[in-house]
């Protein structure tokens, strides 16, 4: 079988490293890490990418899809270069997150779940990130948390990305 | 705005801190932890050859209760692990902190990761588990990376591995990174998630102590629970009870958020009066009045401000007041906040995060959300308030896991304590208070 290598050797090495944390015969435990690594490399998770992960971890494709579609931070559709997720849950809302979210929508000209026409920004509404004391909290491309994001700081951050 | 930035002033987490004592924000590495007396509890166990049963008994004596939300006695939980079982047993740390209002485990992990590692090694020894995983919340990527670094340090120093400090006990520990699912904070959903599946809770029994990770006996504890263990081993269970109250041993980190001057984590002795915590958080923002408080994370019943002001911060006192200590997430709301709007946001959360496995929760959370939504938007009917209660009753206690209860309890308590405000919305099609969220 000469299935095409969908992911780079570097990505595969990272997946192998993650899989080594689990007992022999439990390679499936690495699926969350593998999908995150794949998403990092590809920007989002296409069916082709998910099926590749399934083959690589020796899982049924549907089992991989179940995981990818269950956890909120996997993107099953293309997103902008910068995915911005802002938490609007109650503790954050009490500390200015509602205003910060409105500010972002206006500035980017999109609603939650939409991507700007130039493909640079996707705005998402997040649920509790476990950082309520730092509200408003913004997550940039899943991995970088920005704290106390007042409208001024949001402006400066967005300008810095341009 | 925002939490304090390192280096911290002394006592930034409170003068009575045990877990967060002596932290500057920069001394999280192994060297700093050892300078604060770290890994001495583990060394004491090995030097004095304290048997595992005695460690479990000491933790039982300490009245340490689970810090993740349920408040179950930790020593008792450890004693459920089958001692005669010859095969692999597992230990799992629940750092999947996503209960709205809770942000303590994040600070423990980023400022004092080794205390969690030491607590887990000791728990592994006490329960006869030779492998462990720390399940870390998806949104805190850099803190997960930092924890991996701390694990590398511990391995290099001989605190983790097949023969720890040459004492003949082996324990391996790994980080498992979540990817955004509130339900994985439920312990059996978390185990499913480590196994590489979607995080849907398992029916209990069997409990994890008999059928846990990969079907093996497993103990799951919260991050803060493990972090409390080294002190107990060094100072004894009775001394730990002495820090708090009978049946409510030790200190607790409270995450204070909402309408206060200084939101943050404050570690106080269990039984401390609530006004003391409020004062540590700088008091009400802008000198406003406390209208309502959710004392234990968004899943717990809300309490009116005047009742909260005379309540002590321990499991039993908060239960007596009609709520629960939960995860220790104290959400503060002042008199400008609309209770309907506040409940609406929480109801959306449970609707969004229901895993969909049990019908009462999957359908009921959506129903609750849509009803609170129509009340908030001036389309409520007089009979809606009783209907909200009825739907909540039909979710609570009828689902595999506690998410159903977590969705029902806020609804029931908000309507119970602020019924007039809900009625005003329905009758006048508008809000009683001027400001919103």
């Amino acid at each position: 079988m000469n299935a095409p290598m969908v992911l780079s050797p570097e990505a595969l090495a990272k997946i192998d490293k993650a899989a080594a944390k689990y007992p022999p015969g439990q390679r499936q435990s690495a699926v969350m890490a593998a999908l995150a690594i794949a998403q990092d490399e590809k920007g989002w998770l296409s069916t082709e990418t998910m099926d590749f992960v399934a083959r690589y971890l020796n899982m049924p494709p549907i089992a991989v899809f179940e995981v990818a579609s269950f956890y909120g931070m996997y993107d099953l559709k293309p997103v902008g270069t910068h995915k911005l997720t802002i938490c609007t849950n109650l503790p954050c809302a009490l500390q200015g997150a509602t205003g910060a979210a409105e500010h972002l929508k206006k500035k980017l000209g999109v609603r939650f779940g939409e991507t700007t026409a130039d493909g640079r920004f996707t705005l998402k509404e997040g649920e509790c990130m476990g950082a309520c004391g730092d509200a408003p909290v913004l997550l940039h491309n899943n991995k970088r948390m920005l704290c106390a994001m007042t409208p001024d700081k949001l402006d400066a951050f967005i300008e810095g990305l341009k | 705005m925002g939490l304090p930035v390192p280096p911290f002033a002394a006592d930034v987490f409170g003068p009575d801190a045990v877990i967060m004592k002596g932290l500057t924000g920069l001394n999280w590495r192994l060297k700093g932890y050892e300078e604060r007396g770290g890994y001495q509890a583990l060394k004491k166990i090995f030097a004095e050859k304290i048997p595992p049963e005695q460690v479990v008994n000491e933790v039982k004596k300490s009245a340490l209760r689970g810090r993740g939300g349920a408040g179950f006695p930790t020593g008792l939980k450890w004693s459920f692990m089958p001692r005669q079982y010859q095969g692999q047993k597992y230990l799992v740390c629940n750092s999947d902190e996503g209960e709205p209002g809770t942000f303590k485990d994040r600070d423990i992990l980023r400022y004092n990761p080794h205390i969690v590692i030491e607590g887990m090694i000791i728990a592994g020894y006490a329960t006869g588990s030779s492998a462990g995983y720390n399940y870390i919340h998806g949104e805190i990527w850099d803190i997960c990376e930092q924890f991996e670094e701390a694990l590398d340090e511990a391995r290099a120093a001989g605190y983790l591995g097949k023969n720890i400090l040459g004492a003949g006990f082996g324990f391996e520990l790994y980080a498992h990174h979540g990817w955004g699912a509130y339900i994985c904070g439920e312990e059996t959903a978390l185990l499913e998630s480590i196994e590489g599946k979607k995080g849907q809770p398992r029916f209990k029994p069997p409990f994890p102590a008999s059928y846990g990770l990969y079907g093996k006996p497993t103990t799951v504890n919260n991050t803060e629970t493990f972090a409390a263990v080294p002190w107990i081993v060094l100072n004894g269970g009775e001394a730990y009870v002495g820090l708090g109250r009978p049946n409510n041993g030790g200190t607790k980190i409270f995450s204070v958020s909402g309408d206060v001057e200084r939101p943050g984590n404050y570690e106080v002795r269990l039984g401390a009066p609530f006004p003391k915590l409020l004062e540590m958080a700088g008091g009400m923002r802008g000198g406003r009045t406390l209208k309502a408080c959710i004392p234990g994370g968004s899943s717990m019943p809300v309490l009116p401000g005047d009742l909260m002001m005379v309540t002590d911060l321990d499991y039993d006192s908060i239960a007596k007041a009609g709520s629960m200590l939960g995860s220790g997430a104290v959400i503060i709301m002042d008199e400008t906040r609309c209770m309907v709007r506040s409940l609406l946001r929480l109801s959306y959360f449970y609707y969004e995060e229901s895993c969909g496995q049990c019908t009462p929760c999957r359908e009921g959370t959506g129903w609750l959300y849509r009803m609170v939504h129509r009340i908030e938007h001036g389309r409520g009917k007089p009979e809606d308030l009783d209907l909200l209660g009825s739907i909540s009753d039909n979710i609570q206690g009828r689902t595999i896991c506690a998410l159903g209860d977590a969705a029902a309890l806020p609804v029931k308590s908000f309507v119970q304590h602020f019924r007039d405000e809900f009625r005003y919305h329905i009758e006048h099609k508008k809000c009683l208070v001027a400001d919103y969220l």
Side-chain angles (χ1 to χ4, degrees):
Chain A
M1 194 176 90
N2 286 316
M5 280 298 171
V6 175
L7 297 177
S8 69
E10 293 76 27
L12 298 183
K14 282 186 198 168
I15 295 173
D16 291 343
K17 194 180 167 201
K21 293 176 179 178
Y22 308 97
Q26 300 294 349
R27 215 169 146 75
Q28 177 171 349
S29 285
V31 67
M32 290 181 69
L35 287 171
I37 292 162
Q39 181 167 291
D40 267 357
E41 185 161 295
K42 297 286 182 186
W44 65 291
L45 296 172
S46 65
T47 304
E48 184 196 21
T49 304
M50 287 187 280
D51 288 354
F52 176 78
V53 167
R55 282 199 302 278
Y56 195 71
L57 295 177
N58 198 22
M59 290 169 66
I62 187 65
V64 173
F65 179 74
E66 274 192 354
V67 169
S69 57
F70 187 86
Y71 297 90
M73 288 160 65
Y74 296 118
D75 296 309
L76 304 191
K77 286 180 188 156
V79 292
T81 315
H82 304 286
K83 182 170 92 167
L84 306 178
T85 313
I86 185 164
C87 175
T88 59
N89 208 311
L90 180 60
C92 279
L94 296 168
Q95 292 162 230
T98 310
E102 287 309 313
H103 184 80
L104 268 180
K105 286 181 193 170
K106 224 174 265 173
K107 186 167 181 73
L108 300 175
V110 292
R111 289 174 296 187
F112 282 138
E114 292 180 348
T115 301
T116 54
D118 61 4
R120 291 184 51 77
F121 294 97
T122 297
L123 184 62
K124 291 208 164 187
E125 182 171 38
E127 290 301 343
C128 188
M129 300 176 184
C132 325
D134 272 326
V137 186
L138 186 76
L139 204 59
H140 177 220
N141 287 346
N142 305 315
K143 291 192 172 175
R144 184 173 166 213
M145 186 179 276
L146 296 120
C147 299
M149 295 305 279
T150 53
D152 285 355
K153 283 176 77 177
L154 284 170
D155 286 344
F157 174 66
I158 302 272
E159 293 308 317
L161 292 177
K162 278 181 178 168
Chain B
M1 271 216 277
L3 296 172
V5 175
F8 303 138
D11 289 347
V12 70
F13 299 103
D16 294 330
V18 169
I19 292 169
M20 305 304 272
K21 187 180 177 184
L23 302 181
T24 64
L26 304 173
N27 56 358
W28 62 273
R29 288 190 176 277
L30 179 61
K31 185 168 169 285
Y33 184 58
E34 287 178 330
E35 283 168 5
R36 293 193 297 280
Y39 289 107
Q40 289 304 317
L42 185 65
K43 285 175 181 164
K44 176 184 168 179
I45 289 172
F46 292 155
E48 298 176 12
K49 298 190 173 18
I50 302 174
E53 295 83 351
Q54 199 177 319
V55 177
V56 174
N57 279 336
E58 212 54 45
V59 174
K60 273 187 184 170
K61 251 192 267 174
S62 75
L64 171 64
R65 295 169 64 171
R67 303 300 196 222
F72 192 81
T74 304
L76 187 60
K77 191 186 246 188
W78 289 6
S79 71
F80 294 154
M81 286 286 269
R83 195 151 290 289
Q84 309 308 326
Y85 186 85
Q86 291 302 311
Q88 179 72 54
K89 291 186 257 184
Y90 289 104
L91 191 69
V92 172
C93 178
N94 185 346
S95 300
D96 191 32
E97 182 177 53
E99 167 84 2
T102 318
F103 48 95
K104 64 190 177 63
D105 298 339
R106 171 177 177 240
D107 272 5
I108 297 172
L109 289 176
R110 64 175 166 172
Y111 299 135
N112 208 6
H114 281 284
I115 201 170
V116 180
I117 297 173
E118 185 181 10
M120 287 192 75
I121 300 166
I122 294 169
Y125 174 78
T127 59
S129 313
S130 62
Y133 293 93
N134 185 8
Y135 192 106
I136 298 177
H137 196 222
E139 285 83 348
I140 50 174
W141 173 266
D142 49 343
I143 290 164
C144 190
E145 294 279 286
Q146 190 190 329
F147 189 75
E148 297 263 21
E149 272 188 60
L151 286 177
D152 287 342
E153 287 183 327
R155 266 183 217 116
Y159 292 122
L160 291 171
K162 287 194 165 34
N163 185 9
I164 295 171
L165 303 175
F169 170 69
F171 185 73
E172 296 283 358
L173 180 55
Y174 307 96
H176 181 103
H177 194 202
W179 208 244
Y182 169 68
I183 191 62
C184 289
E186 198 279 341
E187 61 176 4
T188 58
L190 187 152
L191 298 177
E192 289 283 300
S193 184
I194 297 180
E195 292 183 4
K197 303 168 190 163
K198 56 183 172 174
Q200 290 191 321
R202 299 174 182 169
F203 189 83
K204 295 189 273 191
F207 290 92
S210 34
Y211 191 93
L213 183 61
Y214 307 124
K216 308 292 186 193
T218 301
T219 294
V220 186
N221 286 132
N222 170 254
T223 319
E224 186 184 354
T225 311
F226 283 124
V229 169
W231 196 96
I232 294 169
V233 170
L234 282 176
N235 299 279
E238 274 173 36
Y240 192 75
V241 177
L243 292 178
R245 284 180 175 174
N247 198 36
N248 296 269
T251 57
K252 173 81 186 81
I253 303 172
F254 287 92
S255 302
V256 185
S257 66
D259 296 322
V260 290
E261 288 286 350
R262 287 194 303 274
N265 286 309
Y266 302 97
E267 187 178 354
V268 300
R269 294 176 171 216
L270 278 171
F274 170 76
K276 183 184 165 188
L277 180 69
L278 188 57
E279 189 189 319
M280 288 168 89
M284 298 298 295
R285 195 192 303 129
R288 286 180 170 161
T289 310
L290 178 67
K291 176 178 184 177
C293 172
I294 308 178
S298 67
S299 307
M300 302 305 167
V302 66
L303 293 176
D306 50 356
L307 178 55
M308 198 65 220
M309 287 303 281
V310 295
T311 298
D312 290 343
L313 298 168
D314 62 71
Y315 294 89
D316 298 336
S317 301
I318 296 177
K320 206 174 147 196
S323 187
M324 282 186 268
L325 182 140
S327 61
V330 176
I331 305 171
I332 302 285
M333 288 170 273
D334 71 29
E335 81 274 16
T336 67
R337 302 304 185 176
C338 168
M339 291 296 106
V340 182
R341 179 93 170 225
S342 300
L343 177 62
L344 177 62
R345 187 58 187 85
L346 293 181
S347 294
Y348 178 75
F349 172 69
Y350 293 104
Y351 163 58
E352 170 74 25
E353 297 293 335
S354 172
C355 82
Q357 186 174 210
C358 310
T359 308
C361 174
R362 182 185 64 241
E363 302 302 323
T365 51
W367 198 358
L368 288 175
Y369 166 64
R370 289 189 298 275
M371 283 190 63
V372 180
H373 189 273
R374 78 177 183 225
I375 295 172
E376 165 67 13
H377 291 89
R379 297 189 304 275
K381 302 170 203 162
E383 61 270 26
D384 280 357
L385 294 185
D386 288 337
L387 190 54
L388 278 177
S390 158
I391 300 166
S392 301
D393 285 340
N394 281 298
I395 301 174
Q396 200 181 341
R398 293 166 202 267
T399 53
I400 284 176
C401 85
L403 195 144
D405 297 358
L409 288 172
V411 174
K412 286 165 78 166
S413 59
F414 269 84
V415 175
Q416 178 198 340
H417 292 298
F418 301 98
R419 199 174 177 93
D420 286 348
E421 200 170 327
F422 280 79
R423 202 177 284 143
Y424 188 93
H425 268 259
I426 292 170
E427 286 171 8
H428 296 85
K429 320 270 182 223
K430 61 178 184 179
C431 191
L432 189 62
V433 294
D435 204 355
Y436 283 112
L437 287 175

